Amino acid sequence: MTKALQLARALVPELSPSLHKGQAGRLGVVGGSKDYTGAPFFSAMAAMRIGVDLAHIICEPKAGDVIKTYAPDLIVHRVLDQNAPIEEIHQSVDDVVSRLHVLVVGPGLGRDDHMQACAGAAISIAKKRDIGLVIDADGLWFVNNNIDAIKGYKKAILTPNVMEMKRLCEKLSINPDEMKEEDIASKVSELLGGVTVLEKGGVDRITNGSKTLTVDASGSLKRCGGQGDILSGAAGTLLAWGSVYAKGIGSDKDIKVPHEDIPLYAAYGASTFTRECSRLTFEEKGRSMITQDMLKNLIQAGSFIEYATFSNNYYDIDAQGVKIIKDKHQNLQPTFVFLSPPSIDSLARRLVKRGSETEESLRSRLDAAKGEMEYAQTGAFDYVIVNDDIEQAYEKLRKVALGEGTESDILPDNRIA
């Protein structure tokens, strides 16, 4: 797993009974006009399937009537009424945005004057509320005509495709013919004052002007409409989680993400996630693939944010995660290392001494450990390292990480004396 992907994963909040509804992400989508109802649905439902707690759609009334029939899980606000004064719409949007961690602006928005004015109001409100912004599709049309509305707002992610990138370059007086292709997105970000740009293409480029990441993983060969909406929902989800992370929820992980780089790694994770989802869907559906098919593959595609659950607690990738990767993501070709306690008895003593377990949770932890050791005995792991001496175990793990290899240890008996 790349360092960038580890940093993206670090934004994901661990599920916990101590969290309340909404603490694992509240997202809004501004979009949905009389002609376009699918795009905001795909964006918001992707966010729900990936893992936000709540997803709102702020849309035109007739679009809202249709979107409400798609899924009862989404909260639909029919407030972008073309017959209402913009001041009234501004207040209605602000009432919703005040509850959110992130706002996605653009899916199915349309380019008429009224909906573009609504986009401007939404962007202004999000900036005032100091929340994350993802701007896609017709939201980028607004930005292209109102560059100053987004310039310097570093909590924003723009997701331009080839034509949208071309328009931005023209607006910013960038001549792509005079630059290396890999430097164009970085220049756009620089001139926008450090806004994160996710340039979609054969290779996705993600940059905040000072750092640039690329994603070239295989995706779908079928370019059906709506995949960009899935990406906007994924980017919004990770950016919402980044907001939660910045407030201290989940920030106690070993890997630390600089707060100023949260949009960068959120966009990187979203790109990786969406490409994997589209690849899995294309493998299944081929030429007949539509975006609706991607929704059910969002869980499979999310192996990079998997957390296995034991005793109602959540942990990083373990034997259960290994099974998921071996079954569904063989193309990743990772090296699997199993870290084993010297014995189940020694593990039990460690846990009792720590004092963090109830009698029931201790029994569950030991049962889970025995199951993992049984799985390791099947030869599923490339290396087994027994942690009976922390310095020796570290040295062996270091050699494996550096590609030097090491002699695998013998698994201990997993029976309790």
Side-chain angles (χ1 to χ4, degrees):
M1 183 181 296
T2 66
K3 179 69 172 179
L5 199 50
Q6 289 177 332
L7 288 163
R9 288 186 70 233
L11 301 177
V12 182
E14 297 179 5
L15 294 173
S16 167
S18 65
L19 294 180
H20 306 297
K21 181 173 70 174
Q23 282 188 288
R26 300 185 297 273
L27 171 143
V29 177
V30 175
S33 55
K34 59 184 179 181
D35 294 326
Y36 304 106
T37 59
F41 164 76
F42 285 132
S43 181
M45 184 52 71
M48 289 291 288
R49 286 295 188 187
I50 296 168
V52 297
D53 284 351
L54 298 168
H56 300 250
I57 294 180
I58 304 169
C59 60
E60 187 269 340
K62 290 182 179 179
D65 292 340
V66 176
I67 296 168
K68 279 178 177 286
T69 69
Y70 292 158
D73 308 270
L74 305 176
I75 305 167
V76 182
H77 307 270
R78 304 161 58 259
V79 300
L80 306 185
D81 189 344
Q82 64 179 352
N83 296 316
I86 192 65
E87 295 80 12
E88 180 181 319
I89 292 173
H90 192 285
Q91 184 59 55
S92 297
V93 173
D94 189 40
D95 289 344
V96 179
V97 174
S98 65
R99 316 171 212 169
L100 305 179
H101 293 117
V102 68
L103 195 64
V104 180
V105 179
L109 183 73
R111 297 181 183 176
D112 64 74
D113 290 345
H114 169 70
M115 295 303 286
Q116 286 290 295
C118 291
I123 291 170
S124 173
I125 291 166
K127 289 170 60 181
K128 182 179 178 181
R129 293 284 180 180
D130 197 33
I131 67 170
L133 261 173
V134 177
I135 304 181
D136 182 47
D138 292 331
L140 290 169
W141 184 263
F142 173 84
V143 167
N144 204 64
N145 294 312
N146 301 273
I147 287 291
D148 288 341
I150 198 65
K151 186 176 288 186
Y153 191 64
K154 295 185 179 182
K155 290 187 177 181
I157 298 173
L158 307 187
T159 61
N161 60 23
V162 173
M163 286 305 301
E164 291 158 346
M165 193 66 172
K166 182 179 179 181
R167 293 191 198 104
L168 281 171
C169 286
E170 290 174 354
K171 189 69 177 181
L172 295 168
S173 301
I174 297 172
N175 185 350
D177 296 333
E178 296 177 353
M179 302 181 64
K180 293 180 180 179
E181 184 179 4
E182 58 268 27
D183 295 335
I184 296 172
S186 179
K187 187 64 176 178
V188 168
S189 175
E190 178 188 331
L191 293 178
L192 288 176
V195 171
T196 294
V197 175
L198 194 174
E199 179 189 13
K200 298 179 287 191
V203 175
D204 288 352
R205 292 186 175 86
I206 303 98
T207 179
N208 57 13
S210 59
K211 297 177 184 176
T212 299
L213 306 169
T214 59
V215 178
D216 60 359
S218 299
S220 167
L221 297 179
K222 172 78 178 290
R223 296 302 303 155
C224 53
Q227 293 185 60
D229 303 314
I230 299 287
L231 174 63
S232 70
T237 299
L238 281 157
L239 195 54
W241 285 340
S243 174
V244 172
Y245 177 93
K247 293 174 182 176
I249 298 177
S251 61
D252 56 346
K253 301 182 181 119
D254 291 337
I255 296 179
K256 304 298 181 185
V257 184
H259 289 186
E260 66 271 17
D261 290 336
I262 285 174
L264 180 76
Y265 293 110
Y268 179 88
S271 171
T272 304
F273 180 94
T274 306
R275 281 178 175 251
E276 176 66 2
C277 183
S278 65
R279 182 190 69 79
L280 289 169
T281 308
F282 182 74
E283 283 184 358
E284 179 184 354
K285 299 292 185 178
R287 195 180 293 273
S288 68
M289 168 186 165
I290 58 175
T291 301
Q292 183 80 23
D293 299 323
M294 291 179 66
L295 291 177
K296 71 181 184 64
N297 282 324
L298 287 170
I299 298 174
Q300 284 181 274
S303 63
F304 83 93
I305 58 171
E306 287 288 348
Y307 284 88
T309 177
F310 296 111
S311 314
N312 295 318
N313 293 307
Y314 288 75
Y315 298 89
D316 204 347
I317 290 296
D318 52 13
Q320 185 173 327
V322 170
K323 290 177 184 178
I324 292 172
I325 293 173
K326 280 182 172 286
D327 290 345
K328 300 173 182 175
H329 305 283
Q330 297 177 7
N331 61 304
L332 296 178
Q333 298 182 328
T335 297
F336 295 107
V337 181
F338 185 76
L339 294 176
S340 172
S343 68
I344 289 292
D345 278 343
S346 67
L347 177 60
R349 288 193 296 272
R350 288 179 189 175
L351 293 173
V352 170
K353 185 177 181 180
R354 188 187 300 169
S356 59
E357 308 294 329
T358 64
E359 184 177 342
E360 182 179 352
S361 68
L362 176 62
R363 184 166 55 250
S364 296
R365 290 285 299 272
L366 295 178
D367 286 344
K370 286 192 290 182
E372 289 189 341
M373 292 171 76
E374 288 173 359
Y375 178 58
Q377 287 171 346
T378 67
F381 293 84
D382 299 294
Y383 297 95
V384 171
I385 298 176
V386 176
N387 185 18
D388 54 356
D389 183 299
I390 187 65
E391 295 298 332
Q392 291 182 15
Y394 167 79
E395 181 60 23
K396 288 185 176 183
L397 186 59
R398 187 189 69 80
K399 288 182 177 179
V400 172
L402 293 176
E404 299 174 3
T406 189
E407 184 177 348
S408 194
D409 292 331
I410 299 174
L411 272 168
D413 194 325
N414 66 355
R415 292 173 296 181
I416 298 179

